Amino acid sequence: MPSNSPSHRPAENAMQLTGAQALIKSLEMEGTEVMFGLPGGAILPVYDPLIDSSIRHILVRHEQGAGHMAEGYAHATGRPGVAMVTSGPAATNIVTPLCDAYMDSIPIVVITGQVAYSVIGTDAFQECDTVGITMPVTKHNWLITDANDVPRVIREAFHVATTGRPGPVLVDMPKDVSNQMMDWHWPDAVDLPGYKPNMKGHPKQIKDAARLMGESERPVIYAGGGILKARAAEALKELVELTRFPVVTTLMARGSFPDDHELCLGMPGMHGNYTAVTSMQKADLLIALGSRFDDRVTGKVSTFAPDAKIIHVDIDPAELGKVRRPDVPIVGDCRLVIEELVKAVKAERNKREWPSLETWHRQLREWQERYPLRYEQLEDGPLKPQYCVDMLRDNTPDDTIVVAGVGQHQMWTSQRWTFNYPYTYINSGGLGTMGFAVPAAIGAKVGKPERMVWAVDGDGCFQMTAQELVTASAERIPVKVAILNNAYLGMVRQWQELFYEERYSEVYLSPDLPDYVMWAEAMGCAGFRVDTPDDVVPTIEKANEIDDRPVVIDFRTDYREKVYPMVQAGMSNDDIILDPAHDTYGAR
């Protein structure tokens, strides 16, 4: 590049910068320490000043990986993840992570290159309407048309991504704007007149909620991912221990309340445990905190928790009444609302005695004892995936960060791992993105390098984004991956077995193609294969000792194993299907 090109002009001259320099400087001002990305023609001017920046850039092998890494980083740290890619196919490749982050309320900031503003609309090389395509899957997006707007837009982007209901935002940067000179100015404040999230719940509604809680005999706290987004785990624990109300934690809320607490019932939903699912069905009051009444939790909505009154707390007013009409709707930040709710509950309890919950607690204990999660690992039998998860759980530090892909392995991991710490279970809940685990685990490890990070993946999921282990090896990011290899697209096979009369259409993958050990080693990882129960723990211990490169273990698991309990899509939670090993099948 010529020495007098705009991006090489000294930034100190009259405080003038190029748009590209201003973009990098703005990211630094927002505290960005790391970004995940892949350069290309339209974003090249922005990659140039990155050489002189304090920001660590991690070069991915596919733009989808950059987006999921940013998500994993944000999940693990609570800070916004940042990704940067070029225009056209690079921008469309990152649409999936954007949608994933949108569904799960993950704060990420994505920068995309765009063809020169002067040629937009001419079908220029690698031009695509990135803003138009991403509008439905971002909280907000911007097309920058003037370099002088860069600092303001970046500041707004981080503000929007991280406040209210968190979510992904996108900034589209045309190449000629990147090269345009501007006068550097960092705005003192963000001014978005139409954007004012309501953080504090209404005092009267909080008082009404406490009154309803004081009348309930079968209450359940329905904790959702909003608890984690609001950093409300401690407040939740205080509320639970004050009221003695039992808690279910959704897939996105695992870890928000300790699994080993006597009042934790575990995960509800399509593959939730019997007690968690049935407690909601039989409840007379559900206190929904940062949860969105997802169809995987409610089953057939018209039959969901028929006797329950609803208190619904959410930062997003659009969630209130979207699926189930609340008796007490409260718009606000979960942590702030729970803290006020604790005060209101104490005041309410000072007025009168609340109903005894002993009968309700006894019923819950009876269900837990009668319908536990179960499987059987025979000494010389095929390797059970649940056994692999149990041994991983029992042979890793308590604060290990676990990242799952999507499918049977995700459900087994959520069911069987004991999550006693918040922000230790990362997965794709709303969108259900196969291929999420490997790149998200890399992002989590970058954000929390001092913590052990295990990805539990399926063989189908692993094949979608495994190439990002090359990124991890090159960058010396020692994540660990456990593949539960049953040679099938397991969850699809399970549905075909149960609901399509065992007509297995296009789900067989083969256990040996590819050879996962050779593939792992080719990507710079250590690779192991486990075929028998006896080898599970020794191999996990070997993997735990390796800290200078990624590790992959190929667990050859029983392809016949299915995830139970199960509520068939569109059916009532009353029709929960238990493992055939139980004394009843389809017990109510």
Side-chain angles (χ1 to χ4, degrees):
M1 184 175 285
S3 60
N4 63 348
S5 66
S7 62
H8 277 218
R9 289 172 186 167
E12 294 77 12
N13 289 348
M15 293 299 291
Q16 281 207 321
L17 302 177
T18 66
Q21 290 170 326
L23 177 58
I24 295 300
K25 187 173 178 63
S26 299
L27 293 174
E28 292 172 346
M29 295 292 286
E30 286 292 345
T32 304
E33 296 175 344
V34 61
M35 70 160 64
F36 309 92
L38 190 71
I43 200 68
L44 267 183
V46 184
Y47 266 83
D48 185 78
L50 194 56
I51 292 175
D52 304 316
S53 171
S54 61
I55 297 173
R56 177 188 181 188
H57 182 273
I58 293 178
L59 178 62
V60 302
R61 267 51 180 177
H62 190 281
E63 291 87 355
Q64 183 182 356
H68 291 321
M69 287 179 203
E71 286 188 276
Y73 178 90
H75 265 288
T77 66
R79 301 191 296 272
V82 180
M84 186 164 75
V85 301
T86 193
S87 65
T92 57
N93 282 342
I94 209 165
V95 170
T96 295
L98 285 169
C99 190
D100 192 276
Y102 187 71
M103 293 285 281
D104 287 345
S105 306
I106 308 302
I108 62 172
V109 177
V110 171
I111 312 294
T112 50
Q114 183 54 275
V115 300
Y117 187 66
S118 59
V119 299
I120 287 179
T122 66
D123 291 337
F125 178 67
Q126 292 192 331
E127 178 190 356
C128 95
D129 180 6
T130 305
V131 167
I133 287 172
T134 61
M135 190 172 292
V137 295
T138 53
K139 195 172 170 185
H140 196 64
N141 61 20
W142 294 258
L143 171 65
I144 298 183
T145 58
D146 184 337
N148 289 291
D149 294 336
V150 168
R152 174 185 59 79
V153 168
I154 294 299
R155 182 138 199 208
E156 290 175 356
F158 276 78
H159 179 73
V160 171
T162 56
T163 53
R165 181 176 184 168
V169 298
L170 180 139
V171 177
D172 203 25
M173 186 77 172
K175 190 170 185 176
D176 51 354
V177 176
S178 291
N179 288 326
Q180 177 192 343
M181 298 306 296
M182 55 86 71
D183 294 320
W184 171 256
H185 170 71
W186 184 243
D188 295 330
V190 173
D191 182 21
L192 294 171
Y195 178 72
K196 291 182 179 176
N198 187 3
M199 301 297 284
K200 294 181 66 175
H202 194 285
K204 179 180 182 306
Q205 289 164 324
I206 291 174
K207 191 175 178 180
D208 288 346
R211 179 180 50 77
L212 267 189
M213 292 167 71
E215 298 169 355
S216 172
E217 296 179 350
R218 301 187 307 280
V220 173
I221 293 176
Y222 166 22
I227 294 286
L228 295 173
K229 306 301 182 302
R231 270 23 196 182
E234 289 185 7
L236 173 63
K237 192 173 181 182
E238 183 180 2
L239 178 66
V240 173
E241 295 189 338
L242 173 66
T243 60
R244 305 295 295 168
F245 286 4
V247 185
V248 299
T249 52
T250 68
L251 183 71
M252 297 308 297
R254 305 288 288 124
S256 64
F257 189 75
D259 274 332
D260 65 358
H261 195 287
E262 59 175 333
L263 292 171
C264 186
L265 304 182
M267 185 178 74
M270 176 177 277
H271 292 294
N273 70 69
Y274 181 89
T275 304
V277 173
T278 307
S279 67
M280 297 179 80
Q281 286 299 98
K282 302 300 183 187
D284 64 359
L285 177 67
L286 289 180
I287 303 106
L289 303 173
S291 46
R292 58 188 177 89
F293 291 84
D294 179 76
D295 62 286
R296 289 292 172 107
V297 169
T298 64
K300 187 178 181 181
V301 174
S302 61
T303 64
F304 174 66
D307 300 326
K309 292 184 176 178
I310 304 292
I311 299 167
H312 194 174
V313 179
D314 205 290
I315 189 76
D316 184 355
E319 288 297 328
L320 303 181
K322 188 175 76 175
V323 177
R324 176 74 178 259
R325 185 186 65 80
D327 295 277
V328 180
I330 304 176
V331 177
D333 174 83
C334 263
R335 183 178 61 80
L336 298 178
V337 172
I338 293 173
E339 288 173 353
E340 291 304 311
L341 199 50
V342 166
K343 297 176 188 173
V345 165
K346 288 178 178 175
E348 193 71 20
R349 288 166 71 110
N350 287 334
K351 293 180 186 173
R352 60 186 171 83
E353 188 174 347
W354 284 25
S356 168
L357 300 179
E358 183 52 36
T359 302
W360 181 228
H361 286 163
R362 189 164 51 247
Q363 173 66 80
L364 296 172
R365 285 195 296 272
E366 182 184 322
W367 286 334
Q368 287 173 320
E369 291 167 4
R370 186 174 182 187
Y371 302 111
L373 297 169
R374 62 174 60 188
Y375 71 97
E376 186 174 13
Q377 177 63 70
L378 299 176
E379 190 173 334
D380 57 350
L383 186 57
K384 298 294 183 181
Q386 300 97 320
Y387 178 74
C388 298
V389 173
D390 284 0
M391 294 302 101
L392 281 165
R393 176 197 63 203
D394 295 343
N395 291 276
T396 50
D398 290 342
D399 63 351
T400 295
I401 295 174
V402 184
V403 186
V406 169
Q408 288 180 311
H409 60 281
Q410 176 191 27
M411 294 298 115
W412 283 316
T413 304
S414 184
Q415 287 180 342
R416 307 206 64 83
W417 208 283
T418 305
F419 295 105
N420 287 332
Y421 300 92
Y423 322 114
T424 52
Y425 187 42
I426 297 171
N427 73 133
S428 169
L431 194 61
T433 305
M434 290 179 67
F436 176 84
V438 169
I442 294 169
K445 184 67 177 175
V446 170
K448 292 287 185 182
E450 74 283 5
R451 301 272 286 277
M452 184 175 287
V453 176
W454 270 96
V456 180
D457 217 358
D459 45 327
C461 278
F462 184 77
Q463 291 187 49
M464 290 188 174
T465 53
Q467 81 281 350
E468 294 306 339
L469 286 173
V470 177
T471 302
S473 294
E475 295 281 342
R476 297 194 178 279
I477 304 166
V479 293
K480 307 178 194 305
V481 182
I483 307 172
L484 303 185
N485 176 9
N486 63 2
Y488 277 93
L489 298 171
M491 191 62 89
V492 183
R493 185 188 189 282
Q494 175 167 333
W495 283 41
Q496 290 176 340
E497 180 176 340
L498 295 177
F499 311 122
Y500 290 83
E501 300 176 337
E502 301 183 14
R503 289 165 59 84
Y504 300 119
S505 177
E506 301 297 330
V507 286
Y508 179 67
L509 295 174
S510 166
D512 304 310
L513 187 64
D515 184 317
Y516 291 102
V517 173
M518 292 179 65
W519 192 10
E521 291 176 350
M523 291 188 289
C525 310
F528 302 102
R529 177 171 300 134
V530 175
D531 295 290
T532 65
D534 286 346
D535 288 338
V536 170
V537 172
T539 308
I540 291 171
E541 290 174 344
K542 281 184 198 171
N544 285 341
E545 291 172 0
I546 296 172
D547 204 32
D548 61 347
R549 61 195 187 283
V551 182
V552 176
I553 303 179
D554 174 18
F555 291 105
R556 301 297 186 97
T557 60
D558 187 353
Y559 70 92
R560 294 163 298 189
E561 201 63 24
K562 290 181 283 296
V563 185
Y564 288 115
M566 179 176 187
V567 177
Q568 186 178 351
M571 300 295 286
S572 168
N573 284 343
D574 289 327
D575 299 316
I576 186 171
I577 303 171
L578 295 174
D579 190 298
H582 279 287
D583 57 350
T584 56
Y585 191 85
R588 307 296 170 87

